[in-house]
Amino acid sequence: MRFGSYRVDIPFDQLKRYKRLLLQFPAGLKVYAREIADVIEERTNSEVFISADPCFGACDLAIDLAKSIGADALIHFGHLPIPNLKIDFPVIFVNAVMDMDVQKVSEKIYRNVREKSINLVTTAQHIDFIHSIKRNLESQGFLVDIGEGDDRISKPGLVLGCNFSSALHGNANSIVFIGTGNFHPVGVSLVTSKPVYALDPVSMKIKMPEEIANEKDKLLKKRYSLIALSKDANKFGIIISSKIGQRRLELATRLKEEIEKMDKDAHLLVLDNVSPSLLRDFGKFDCLISTACPRIAIDDYDNFDSPILTPIEFEILVGRREVNKYVLDSIS
Ligand code: SF4
């Protein structure tokens, strides 16, 4: 079925098995939530509820909410499953595939990419087209790799903001990211140290490796300044997300022990949605370390009252990692 520029294949037969469903959507799909709920109600005998909470990724499954309303399944839209997550509740993932002009995207790549050997990566909403693009590029003489990724990655070529493992596959000379924003291409550039191209399949603009390198330098400058600001920190807050696919308890407790061994103060702060306003009531921390979604420290640092570091940046702070070995935090 089509909703705006998305194709959403709802498995109605599978949903008919359940009496009560909770539907969960990321922000960009919430606008279609009522329409989708109506269709599901019409085509199944299920009673349908919509989660109005924020939803950030396949790591963020509203299982507790589903249980609290007596739903017998959660239908999670807009993300692919995370294979190595242990889930003790029926969750049905329904991806939303954004329209793409595969021919135009392929042409844009072969007109602009200088290296003939490339690794293709993309996000969930474009993943269905990646093999057609590969075939088109190969017919133009390119050698194209699509990496499998680790156990957090459900389809070859997929990258997440917390996992770039598919970009590490093979010996390609450059990486082509298909998708929007700078976060993923900069992350890929940090993890692979190869030239990265970023093609936005909606605007059809392509960022060349020099632009991505420039974005990477800007990010590194900011991150190094936050590490420097934390140099004399004595009071640390370690953030743990309760979300099933972001919860890194062991890492958080290890960080606490390490900080306490340095005769400094550390507290473990557990919350569902990590928001600066929820942390404010605890008074000032000299430094926060986020073990939750790696994007929080990178994208939202400006909104926090204290410098917020990733666990990787904490390693640099305490001298366990060399500055030139900086990478984005990842979850595997
Ligand atoms: S942890 Fe962050 S980047 Fe990873 S899937 Fe969840 S929301 Fe996306």
Side-chain angles (χ1 to χ4, degrees):
M1 298 188 79
R2 298 202 54 80
F3 298 93
S5 52
Y6 292 94
R7 198 195 77 227
V8 181
D9 294 328
I10 303 168
F12 293 107
D13 285 342
Q14 199 181 351
L15 304 194
K16 278 180 190 163
R17 287 188 224 144
Y18 301 103
K19 287 200 174 80
R20 183 175 284 182
L21 301 169
L22 177 66
L23 313 188
Q24 189 184 21
F25 300 88
L29 294 178
K30 279 195 167 119
V31 67
Y32 307 114
R34 290 183 292 170
E35 211 182 322
I36 291 174
D38 289 346
V39 180
I40 293 176
E41 261 175 354
E42 269 167 40
R43 305 264 300 259
T44 67
N45 285 322
S46 314
E47 191 181 8
V48 174
F49 290 68
I50 303 169
S51 164
D53 280 333
C55 169
F56 298 100
C59 59
D60 184 6
L61 301 174
I63 293 172
D64 290 342
L65 189 62
K67 287 180 180 170
S68 76
I69 57 159
D72 36 22
L74 170 69
I75 321 301
H76 182 98
F77 287 87
H79 302 114
L80 293 166
I82 295 177
N84 63 0
L85 262 196
K86 291 189 177 67
I87 304 170
D88 62 351
F89 187 79
V91 179
I92 295 154
F93 288 86
V94 182
N95 197 19
V97 181
M98 195 187 255
D99 292 341
M100 183 196 281
D101 187 332
V102 169
Q103 197 55 37
K104 266 196 187 165
V105 165
S106 311
E107 276 174 26
K108 193 86 184 177
I109 295 173
Y110 58 71
R111 293 228 168 96
N112 289 279
V113 173
R114 298 179 284 248
E115 298 77 13
K116 283 286 176 198
S117 152
I118 63 171
N119 191 344
L120 272 184
V121 293
T122 188
T123 51
Q125 65 264 50
H126 310 302
I127 196 84
D128 283 15
F129 302 110
I130 200 166
H131 289 283
S132 314
I133 297 169
K134 173 177 155 73
R135 276 192 298 276
N136 285 349
L137 293 173
E138 283 171 343
S139 72
Q140 295 295 320
F142 282 81
L143 274 175
V144 183
D145 235 332
I146 298 179
E148 296 251 317
D150 65 18
D151 294 346
R152 193 168 170 88
I153 295 299
S154 61
K155 285 196 174 174
L158 178 71
V159 281
L160 302 171
C162 57
N163 191 303
F164 302 103
S165 55
S166 63
L168 284 166
H169 176 87
N171 298 314
N173 293 330
S174 67
I175 318 283
V176 178
F177 167 75
I178 300 166
T180 52
N182 288 327
F183 190 93
H184 294 88
V186 166
V188 168
S189 168
L190 279 163
V191 87
T192 63
S193 304
K194 290 181 182 175
V196 176
Y197 298 77
L199 171 57
D200 179 334
V202 180
S203 69
M204 291 304 292
K205 289 204 173 111
I206 188 160
K207 285 193 178 154
M208 301 299 280
E210 299 72 25
E211 289 171 82
I212 299 299
N214 196 23
E215 293 297 332
K216 179 168 84 173
D217 290 346
K218 276 200 258 171
L219 179 133
L220 287 176
K221 211 165 150 201
K222 186 72 232 172
R223 301 317 299 175
Y224 293 155
S225 79
L226 290 173
I227 296 170
L229 273 175
S230 311
K231 202 166 59 69
D232 299 319
N234 279 309
K235 293 185 179 124
F236 288 82
I238 302 165
I239 297 170
I240 304 161
S241 168
S242 59
K243 294 185 192 305
I244 185 168
Q246 297 185 16
R247 201 184 300 143
R248 289 189 285 176
L249 280 179
E250 267 176 42
L251 171 62
T253 50
R254 255 192 288 123
L255 290 170
K256 182 174 188 286
E257 273 171 31
E258 187 173 350
I259 293 168
E260 285 172 344
K261 276 195 191 135
M262 297 187 296
D263 274 335
K264 299 187 178 199
D265 188 60
H267 287 92
L268 299 168
L269 308 161
V270 194
L271 66 174
D272 182 23
N273 287 313
V274 179
S275 138
S277 61
L278 296 174
L279 297 176
R280 228 156 255 150
D281 295 341
F282 295 100
K284 185 104 168 62
F285 291 97
D286 299 331
C287 175
L288 294 166
I289 306 166
S290 171
T291 64
C293 170
R295 296 199 62 157
I296 294 168
I298 305 292
D299 288 340
D300 300 341
Y301 69 88
D302 244 356
N303 299 324
F304 288 86
D305 296 343
S306 319
I308 177 165
L309 305 184
T310 66
I312 298 276
E313 292 163 351
F314 174 77
E315 289 176 16
I316 295 175
L317 179 72
V318 298
R320 257 200 295 122
R321 175 184 285 263
E322 289 170 37
V323 177
N324 59 6
K325 296 269 164 48
Y326 185 100
V327 284
L328 290 184
D329 180 27
S330 65
I331 307 179
S332 50

